[in-house]
């Protein structure tokens, strides 16, 4: 699997049977070209092996829809400044 960052950096990772994809919920086939991912990897010599891959495009679906992580505040935040 090759991952390219917004600044153009590119890295290829081996995906093996022990690689956790979306917390074991889905297989590597659900990760599509163009998806934003987060990869945790180990390096041994010149080989980078993905330990876990999280497809950030699937987060809303995995947690009940959009906005799952940031509920709307009930009141504007206060800063104590002023």
């Amino acid at each position: 699997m090759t991952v390219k960052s917004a600044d153009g950096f590119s890295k290829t990772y081996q995906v093996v049977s022990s690689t956790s994809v979306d917390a074991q919920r889905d297989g590597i086939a659900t990760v599509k070209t163009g998806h934003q991912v987060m990869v945790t990897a180990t390096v041994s010599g010149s080989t980078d092996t993905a330990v876990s891959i999280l497809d950030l495009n699937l987060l809303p679906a995995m947690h009940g829809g959009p906005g799952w992580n940031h509920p709307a505040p009930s009141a504007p935040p206060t800063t104590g400044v002023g």
Side-chain angles (χ1 to χ4, degrees):
M1 162 181 205
T2 300
V3 178
K4 185 175 181 181
S5 66
D7 67 359
F9 176 79
S10 182
K11 189 72 170 178
T12 299
Y13 301 94
Q14 283 191 357
V15 177
V16 296
S17 61
S18 61
T19 301
S20 172
V21 180
D22 295 328
Q24 301 293 1
R25 182 175 182 273
D26 301 310
I28 191 64
T30 61
V31 180
K32 305 295 183 194
T33 299
H35 281 194
Q36 185 176 9
V37 297
M38 184 168 41
V39 178
T40 303
T42 59
V43 178
S44 178
S46 63
T47 303
D48 300 304
T49 303
V51 174
S52 66
I53 300 168
L54 181 60
D55 186 337
L56 301 177
N57 290 72
L58 299 179
L59 282 179
M62 291 172 62
H63 294 283
W68 65 270
N69 196 23
H70 302 285
S74 57
T78 58
T79 63
V81 176

